[in-house]
Amino acid sequence: MRSIPLSMQFLLFLGLQLALSVGLVFYLNALADSNYQTIQRASAGFVESSKTIESLRKAFAQTSADIEQVVNTLRPGERIDVRTQVVNLQQLAAAVRTDVALDNLRTAAYSQINQLSQSIDHQAQLLINAAAKTATAGPAEVRDLQNKLRIERNRIMVDDFSGLISAANSNLEDTMQMLRGSTASVSQQYRTLLILFIILQIGLMITALLYFNHQIKQLADITDRLIDGEATAALPQQKRHDQIGRLARSVQHFRTTLITLSDSREQLKAILKKHDHETLHRRKAEKQLTLAASVFDNVQEAVLLTDIAGHVIRANQAALDLLKSTEKQLASKPLLQHLLTGSEKVVEPLWTQVLEHGRWQGEVQFKPDSYSPPITALISIKLVGEAREGRGHVIIVLNDHTEIRNREAEMIFLAQQDLVTGLYNRHYFSLQGQTRITDRPTEIFGLILIGLDNFKAVNDALGHRDGDRVLVEIGRRLAKLLNTQDVLSRVGGDEFAFYFSPRNGEDLEISTKEKAEEVLSIIRQPIQIDGYNITLKASAGMSLYPNDEDNIEDLLKTNDIALHMAKTRGGNQLYIRGTQAQNQARRRFVLQQALDKALGNRELRLVYQPQVSLASGEIVGFEVLMRWRHGGEWISPNEFIPLAEENDLIIHFTEWAFTESCKRMREWQRQTDRQFILSINIPPRLLLVDKIDQRLDAIARKEGLPLSSITLEITESSFGSDPGMMSGQLHQLAMRGFTIAIDDFGTGYSSLAYLSTLPISKIKIDKTFVDNIYNNRESYKLLGSILAMAQTLEFDVVIEGVEHSNQLLLLKKLDVRLDVQGFVFEPPQNEDFWEGMFINNKVPTYPVPEIMSTKSLKPSASS
Ligand code: C2E
Ligand code: CA
Ligand code: CA
């Protein structure tokens, strides 16, 4: 097979098929032919013998008629000549015995033929006898002879001939029966052969198919493996001499070529890669060098490079400006000795620390020369390379914090103050209380909260200016009642509070109560303003440390409720903490339980408050805020967020809010084609979660919101527990691309110098700093100074809680780049509200005031 060409193999196969078919046709034909001839023969024989029998019968009938005629003329005593008839009869009998036409019947109808010939012979004998007798016979005898002949003749006609005919018929039937059987067997054979033939054909076809298929598949498999790169695949068909063999050899050749080709391609690739890598490396290094040089020259920070002993080798322009020296002057002695004149003793240990630990950071104060004011700077020292055998370098970076420190001092002073009365404000007051409890936990005291009854009416009647004067007078009267250690504060618009310490041995409750009553009575004394006598009434609440609560926050809360109770009972009275405080505690407990299920019960909702550009009135972004609807009541986030923050619940809440709001913001961005910023509140606890940056990043990525559109709002209080960890997390978050904003800026007491080391780019100035800018010049000045500082640190600024349009104009005058978030534009609204707005791509623009002339812009003066 292997040497016969493929086409010949096909022809051979076809030939075999043809031969088989022809053989079968011939065989079947012969079978049918022989059958046909047998039938032919049988029917011809039958016709011949039937004809002969019929002619014999006719001849016998004719002879019998002749005999009858002769016999009828018989007369007694007369002689008759019957020789002709007898001869005829004898010839007939002989014909029956010998006629060849009856040969085919001779075996099957032997007795019938015999019987017929004997009967005819017998008739002939009878005739002879009759002829012989007539001469002597009487008439009766003649009649008897005549009858005998007639009867015999009839018997022969009826019995013997019929017997022969029916024997012939039955012989034919037998033959036919036999033939039918043989025809059936022929057709049976025919069918069997045909089936066998078809099976054989199919078998042959399948064999051929499998054979060729196997050969081609083997080749295809190997070609596939070859394409897959399997170089060792062997081709057994190569040895064949047919076309498959040729194909195999071609594939083999192709394979060898391919292997060679791919080898050389790999080599080429490796060479190219190496070349690319080297070029890239060199370019990168060059670029980095240029970049480093340009960074060194252009950064705002003062950067100096010193040798291992601290002598300046190079200083950038910012450093020379800050230190008011030339490089040469600086090189005269170690840099730290320039900076720390007067405290040389610390220089050496400090430097040793740098050499040992590789870095040092701290704040220093120095005077560049005797005429300049002192400069406060954050100094960061870092050793480059290893300090060995006098080699190695040190980089020193100086950040000028002078401005920040000055502002800070100013702010701290201002932040503690109530600008109207000069008393402490609420923040400072609670801070003081907290410190007092922490420092002297065993020292008992009472907390008294006083609220002026119906002060609004006074304000409305006299105007804010005189209203403020009333407040100042009340403050003055209260201050006179107090001992030196009792801190007095104006904690709200018309509310004052102070800590009261009883004298030694006095009962705390009784003496606090007496003090509160005294306060109410001195407030009731008339106040003289511009010749008017004003009489005010007040209500008070009181609570005791440690009897009622063990912390200021709760003492204040208890008092808030007590004051509220006093007012709802008509005012002008004192309400002593009582069941209200306990109710509060109970409510806290109940809410805390319910809060666990709030997310699962779908009780939490999100609302979005826009942040609006003061320059254009356009929405730049949204802060997402949480709402809790529980038992038919909307519970303020100020109440439930602190509860959630007590455990990990706040983490689930925040992740939920983050996911939902990212999704929503992405939708709105698509819908409106605007790059809205999403601001979200990040609780301190979340910043303690491991890899929180990855988690938030993954969520934002999943929802398709770019990190550049996300601002994370954190409060300064976040840094309380673990500043190092928080700072690390914030850097991670900022590095990923999140914007970090300080929320409620100004209400905490973080050092600005510290904040400036964090990756913060935005601050949100608390509502309390803008509430009074329209009425109070000091407030306005304070805000101005905060904004100036934000500018120095290059923070973006959002002003929160702006409620009146008259505040807007003043804000715009301070800085048009501000963004504003407040009821003046829009309170927080749910997504249905915003989606309704965005139908047909319509994004609302809010009216913002235009700055016309500078004169009318001054805030109205007070006090
Ligand atoms: P926040 O982060 O300082 O949010 C701003 C609050 O000021 C919101 O109160 C807002 O409704 C309110 N506000 C905005 N404009 C004005 C205005 O013109 N006047 C007045 N009076 N208020 C204004 P809200 O929604 O009641 O939230 C209170 C605080 O609860 C938030 O203060 C935040 O600390 C906390 N909070 C709210 N939602 C969330 C949240 O989803 N996660 C976390 N961690 N805290 C949240
Ligand atoms: Ca916030
Ligand atoms: Ca805020």
Side-chain angles (χ1 to χ4, degrees):
M1 265 305 194
R2 289 168 167 245
S3 54
I4 305 171
L6 211 56
S7 49
M8 278 308 286
Q9 289 178 32
F10 264 112
L11 280 178
L12 267 175
F13 172 69
L14 274 179
L16 188 63
Q17 293 271 58
L18 210 65
L20 272 170
S21 312
V22 169
L24 186 76
V25 167
F26 272 109
Y27 175 70
L28 290 175
N29 217 34
L31 213 62
D33 217 33
S34 90
N35 210 36
Y36 172 76
Q37 269 167 18
T38 314
I39 294 175
Q40 192 78 10
R41 259 201 313 276
S43 65
F46 174 72
V47 170
E48 215 178 328
S49 54
S50 296
K51 268 190 191 157
T52 309
I53 292 170
E54 189 56 33
S55 70
L56 284 174
R57 207 170 71 108
K58 274 193 189 140
F60 179 75
Q62 183 61 50
T63 309
S64 297
D66 285 353
I67 293 170
E68 179 113 31
Q69 219 174 4
V70 177
V71 170
N72 282 344
T73 59
L74 271 182
R75 297 291 178 264
E78 244 178 67
R79 265 192 179 263
I80 52 163
D81 182 7
V82 287
R83 271 176 299 179
T84 326
Q85 282 78 10
V86 168
V87 169
N88 278 350
L89 284 177
Q90 283 168 342
Q91 276 175 353
L92 261 177
V96 170
R97 265 193 298 271
T98 57
D99 198 321
V100 286
L102 298 181
D103 282 354
N104 58 333
L105 286 176
R106 287 204 199 280
T107 22
Y110 174 75
S111 64
Q112 284 88 345
I113 290 177
N114 224 17
Q115 170 74 34
L116 183 62
S117 66
Q118 280 177 12
S119 293
I120 296 174
D121 273 341
H122 179 68
Q123 185 78 335
Q125 201 55 52
L126 265 182
L127 195 55
I128 296 170
N129 289 346
K133 269 184 187 166
T134 44
T136 57
E141 276 174 313
V142 168
R143 264 194 312 276
D144 191 37
L145 278 171
Q146 283 172 335
N147 277 343
K148 262 188 183 160
L149 274 169
R150 209 172 292 136
I151 289 164
E152 183 61 11
R153 185 200 68 191
N154 286 347
R155 197 195 58 80
I156 292 170
M157 282 298 271
V158 175
D159 289 353
D160 292 352
F161 270 103
S162 298
L164 185 58
I165 287 169
S166 64
N169 277 344
S170 96
N171 181 42
L172 179 70
E173 221 159 80
D174 286 352
T175 314
M176 280 320 219
Q177 190 69 38
M178 195 191 78
L179 276 174
R180 224 175 280 139
S182 98
T183 311
S185 107
V186 166
S187 85
Q188 178 64 39
Q189 275 184 51
Y190 199 99
R191 235 190 335 259
T192 315
L193 274 173
L194 212 67
I195 290 171
L196 278 176
F197 180 70
I198 289 171
I199 292 173
L200 186 71
Q201 287 277 0
I202 292 175
L204 267 173
M205 233 125 95
I206 291 176
T207 314
L209 217 68
L210 287 178
Y211 173 71
F212 287 113
N213 203 36
H214 174 71
Q215 293 301 331
I216 289 167
K217 190 174 166 284
Q218 219 172 350
L219 254 182
D221 279 356
I222 289 172
T223 316
D224 276 353
R225 271 150 63 191
L226 190 64
I227 290 168
D228 287 347
E230 196 180 313
T232 53
L235 285 175
Q237 283 102 330
Q238 272 187 88
K239 296 203 187 91
R240 294 175 68 111
H241 299 291
D242 58 3
Q243 282 97 328
I244 291 182
R246 265 183 67 190
L247 202 59
R249 284 189 293 282
S250 306
V251 169
Q252 172 66 35
H253 179 66
F254 177 63
R255 185 175 95 187
T256 325
T257 320
L258 211 66
I259 292 167
T260 328
L261 212 67
S262 102
D263 279 356
S264 41
R265 207 183 56 179
E266 282 310 313
Q267 284 168 7
L268 202 67
K269 247 190 187 162
I271 294 170
L272 279 176
K273 201 168 158 189
K274 202 172 149 214
H275 180 259
D276 278 359
H277 195 72
E278 281 166 2
T279 316
L280 207 75
H281 209 67
R282 210 186 46 241
R283 287 223 189 103
K284 229 168 157 178
E286 282 166 5
K287 215 165 154 187
Q288 274 173 357
L289 265 177
T290 331
L291 212 66
S294 118
V295 169
F296 183 78
D297 290 333
N298 291 309
V299 283
Q300 282 186 356
E301 279 78 15
V303 184
L304 304 107
L305 186 70
T306 78
D307 61 18
I308 205 70
H311 290 94
V312 173
I313 302 169
R314 274 214 61 194
N316 69 357
Q317 195 53 47
L320 299 179
D321 292 348
L322 183 74
L323 300 172
K324 297 202 166 72
S325 311
T326 61
E327 272 185 4
K328 210 172 159 190
Q329 287 168 336
L330 288 175
S332 62
K333 55 180 175 181
L335 180 69
L336 288 190
Q337 286 183 18
H338 283 286
L339 300 182
L340 301 169
T341 38
S343 44
E344 279 83 358
K345 270 189 213 145
V346 301
V347 173
E348 214 177 288
L350 198 157
W351 199 251
T352 316
Q353 199 184 337
V354 171
L355 298 185
E356 270 172 13
H357 300 287
R359 57 172 71 236
W360 185 84
Q361 195 180 46
E363 217 170 43
V364 293
Q365 211 178 42
F366 61 91
K367 285 180 88 169
D369 55 42
S370 40
Y371 317 104
S372 313
I375 288 176
T376 309
L378 178 74
I379 177 166
S380 311
I381 309 178
K382 190 171 182 326
L383 179 68
V384 199
E386 252 180 291
R388 233 189 291 129
E389 295 151 13
R391 283 188 306 195
H393 291 94
V394 176
I395 293 177
I396 299 178
V397 181
L398 292 167
N399 269 302
D400 187 355
H401 276 182
T402 317
E403 170 92 359
I404 299 173
R405 284 290 177 220
N406 293 345
R407 297 268 181 208
E408 198 173 56
E410 189 181 350
M411 258 192 65
I412 288 172
F413 172 73
L414 290 169
Q416 295 175 350
Q417 293 265 317
D418 165 40
L419 298 165
V420 176
T421 57
L423 303 176
Y424 291 120
N425 61 20
R426 185 179 182 120
H427 281 297
Y428 186 72
F429 179 71
S430 61
L431 197 75
Q432 277 292 307
Q434 208 57 63
T435 322
R436 176 178 183 149
I437 292 176
T438 323
D439 293 352
R440 294 161 282 159
T442 54
E443 201 177 285
I444 57 168
F445 64 89
L447 172 53
I448 298 172
L449 177 68
I450 302 121
L452 303 178
D453 290 344
N454 207 11
F455 183 67
K456 191 172 173 296
V458 178
N459 248 343
D460 289 348
L462 303 178
H464 280 284
R465 209 183 130 106
D466 287 344
D468 284 355
R469 286 168 70 186
V470 172
L471 293 174
V472 171
E473 170 59 17
I474 303 274
R476 211 179 47 74
R477 290 185 187 179
L478 291 177
K480 274 204 283 190
L481 277 183
L482 300 184
N483 305 323
T484 41
Q485 74 224 72
D486 298 340
V487 180
L488 173 65
S489 156
R490 177 177 168 232
V491 290
D494 56 3
E495 285 177 10
F496 297 82
F498 60 89
Y499 304 116
F500 167 73
S501 313
R503 271 191 231 113
N504 269 350
E506 270 183 355
D507 177 84
L508 177 64
E509 177 150 4
I510 294 169
S511 59
T512 308
K513 200 171 157 204
E514 279 169 7
K515 188 56 88 180
E517 300 287 6
E518 196 182 349
V519 167
L520 293 187
S521 81
I522 65 151
I523 290 176
R524 281 195 289 264
Q525 288 165 15
I527 300 169
Q528 286 258 326
I529 289 203
D530 290 345
Y532 290 103
N533 256 345
I534 299 163
T535 309
L536 278 175
K537 283 184 186 147
S539 311
M542 60 169 262
S543 58
L544 308 175
Y545 172 84
N547 315 32
D548 295 330
E549 303 286 352
D550 61 358
N551 65 80
I552 291 300
E553 210 54 21
D554 291 340
L555 282 170
L556 275 169
K557 265 186 205 154
T558 311
N559 265 7
D560 276 340
I561 298 162
L563 182 61
H564 180 73
M565 290 305 292
K567 289 207 171 184
T568 48
R569 291 176 167 207
N572 193 24
Q573 58 181 285
L574 169 69
Y575 191 91
I576 302 167
R577 60 40 188 139
T579 54
Q580 284 301 323
Q582 284 136 28
N583 278 348
Q584 195 70 15
R586 195 174 310 131
R587 177 179 163 87
R588 237 175 96 87
F589 178 73
V590 172
L591 287 186
Q592 193 133 38
Q593 303 285 307
L595 200 57
D596 264 343
K597 298 182 207 102
L599 199 53
N601 289 348
R602 297 170 166 272
E603 292 176 350
L604 294 182
R605 299 283 148 76
L606 294 177
V607 288
Y608 299 84
Q609 188 177 27
Q611 295 173 343
V612 176
S613 156
L614 202 49
S616 63
E618 286 184 342
I619 297 180
V620 291
F622 295 88
E623 176 173 8
V624 58
L625 295 156
M626 218 178 278
R627 296 289 175 262
W628 182 25
R629 180 138 181 101
H630 175 63
E633 181 191 0
W634 284 107
I635 294 163
S636 162
N638 289 320
E639 189 171 6
F640 77 81
I641 294 283
L643 292 182
E645 278 180 336
E646 284 175 12
N647 53 44
D648 279 349
L649 214 50
I650 191 67
I651 292 172
H652 303 307
F653 283 13
T654 310
E655 282 189 350
W656 168 77
F658 189 71
T659 313
E660 288 297 305
S661 57
C662 279
K663 190 181 297 171
R664 191 71 56 198
M665 208 50 56
R666 183 73 197 110
E667 249 168 58
W668 293 351
Q669 286 189 345
R670 279 214 189 96
Q671 214 169 332
T672 60
D673 206 15
R674 297 266 283 267
Q675 289 309 304
F676 296 132
I677 302 287
L678 170 68
S679 285
I680 177 151
N681 293 292
I682 299 297
R685 199 179 267 262
L686 200 74
L687 292 181
L688 295 173
V689 173
D690 190 34
K691 302 220 173 92
I692 188 63
D693 57 318
Q694 276 179 26
R695 284 170 76 160
L696 295 184
D697 190 342
I699 294 174
R701 217 172 275 278
K702 182 161 170 271
E703 303 304 339
L705 190 67
L707 301 196
S708 58
S709 293
I710 302 175
T711 295
L712 307 179
E713 297 189 3
I714 51 165
T715 51
E716 292 164 72
S717 57
S718 305
F719 306 106
S721 49
D722 186 352
M725 162 103 179
M726 296 289 179
S727 153
Q729 294 273 53
L730 285 187
H731 276 101
Q732 292 296 330
L733 286 163
M735 241 142 66
R736 281 192 186 261
F738 288 107
T739 301
I740 312 288
I742 294 284
D743 202 0
D744 306 338
F745 181 82
T747 60
Y749 292 97
S750 309
S751 131
L752 277 173
Y754 174 62
L755 287 188
S756 74
T757 65
L758 296 176
I760 289 159
S761 46
K762 199 188 270 185
I763 56 174
K764 296 188 75 179
I765 294 181
D766 191 65
K767 180 173 184 296
T768 48
F769 290 92
V770 282
D771 274 348
N772 292 318
I773 53 170
Y774 192 71
N775 310 322
N776 187 294
R777 179 170 287 175
E778 290 303 321
S779 284
Y780 190 58
K781 261 169 65 184
L782 172 59
L783 184 64
S785 108
I786 293 175
L787 288 180
M789 191 194 58
Q791 230 172 35
T792 317
L793 294 171
E794 298 182 330
F795 289 149
D796 289 333
V797 179
V798 181
I799 309 275
E800 280 194 286
V802 178
E803 293 182 343
H804 300 289
S805 49
N806 53 24
Q807 290 164 287
L808 288 180
L809 195 60
L810 293 174
L811 287 172
K812 198 162 181 178
K813 209 197 129 200
L814 283 177
D815 191 345
V816 290
R817 292 164 306 177
L818 298 175
D819 291 333
V820 167
Q821 179 183 344
F823 293 172
V824 66
F825 292 129
E826 201 80 66
Q829 300 277 14
N830 65 18
E831 58 257 16
D832 289 345
F833 174 89
W834 291 112
E835 259 140 43
M837 282 277 183
F838 296 153
I839 283 177
N840 310 328
N841 292 350
K842 266 196 256 157
V843 183
T845 304
Y846 295 96
V848 284
E850 293 298 326
I851 301 178
M852 313 268 264
S853 79
T854 39
K855 257 192 175 169
S856 57
L857 290 167
K858 297 257 162 66
S860 64
S862 73
S863 56

